[in-house]
């Protein structure tokens, strides 16, 4: 039950909405993560470039943010893109992703850096792209 409104308080509809820097925004993050400040276990190696792919569909009763992650990641999506779509900071998103990883509902794929992919970039292809761009 909410406290009675004092005559000097503005009506709720005219109050400014909380921003990410507001304590109310921080309270929202606290509730979303159950008070956890970072992912644990294998999810601690998540990176903003990590690709996330759904392995299952959302089920009734799931936390809204978990449902959104599963819906948006039907096709691989980087953690950075996912955070931007959901409007969540990376550390909060990482906690939510850790929950889904532990439940086996998403898969995390590390991007393959060029120096680990074998021989590196194809110089002939890069030269052709550069030549094509120069002709434009």
């Amino acid at each position: 039950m909410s406290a009675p409104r004092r005559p000097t308080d503005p009506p709720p509809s005219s109050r400014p909405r909380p921003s990410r820097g507001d304590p109310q925004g921080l309270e929202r993050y606290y509730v979303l993560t159950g008070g956890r400040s970072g992912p644990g276990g294998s999810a601690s190696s998540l990176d903003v470039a990590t690709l996330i792919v759904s392995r299952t569909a959302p089920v009734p009763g799931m936390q809204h943010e978990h449902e959104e992650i599963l819906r948006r990641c039907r096709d691989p999506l980087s953690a950075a893109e996912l955070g931007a779509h959901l409007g969540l900071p990376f550390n909060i998103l990482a906690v939510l992703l850790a929950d889904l990883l532990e439940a086996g509902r998403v898969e995390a794929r590390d991007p393959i850096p060029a120096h680990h992919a074998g021989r590196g970039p194809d110089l002939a292809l890069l030269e052709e792209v550069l030549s094509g761009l120069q002709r434009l």
Side-chain angles (χ1 to χ4, degrees), residues 68-136:
E68 277 298 307
I69 291 169
L70 292 177
R71 279 191 198 100
R72 290 182 182 271
C73 292
R74 289 181 183 131
D75 294 319
L77 196 62
S78 74
E81 292 171 299
L82 187 57
H85 286 301
L86 298 175
L88 294 172
F90 178 74
N91 62 331
I92 303 301
L93 178 66
V95 172
L96 297 174
L97 289 173
D99 295 341
L100 293 171
L101 283 165
E102 288 175 20
R105 296 191 173 279
V106 296
E107 180 181 337
R109 299 176 184 170
D110 290 327
I112 301 172
H115 63 278
H116 291 315
R119 58 175 194 236
D122 183 358
L123 292 178
L125 175 64
L126 292 175
E127 287 174 0
E128 291 215 18
V129 169
L130 179 61
S131 174
L133 289 172
Q134 288 172 339
R135 283 183 289 211
L136 293 176

Side-chain angles (χ1 to χ4, degrees), residues 16-56:
R17 299 187 92 147
S19 67
R20 290 186 185 166
D22 267 8
Q24 290 178 351
L26 295 176
E27 289 168 2
R28 174 178 173 256
Y29 298 150
Y30 183 86
V31 171
L32 286 178
T33 62
R36 296 169 290 161
S37 60
S42 62
S44 61
S45 65
L46 287 174
D47 184 280
V48 293
T50 301
L51 297 176
I52 308 297
V53 184
S54 300
R55 298 182 79 187
T56 64

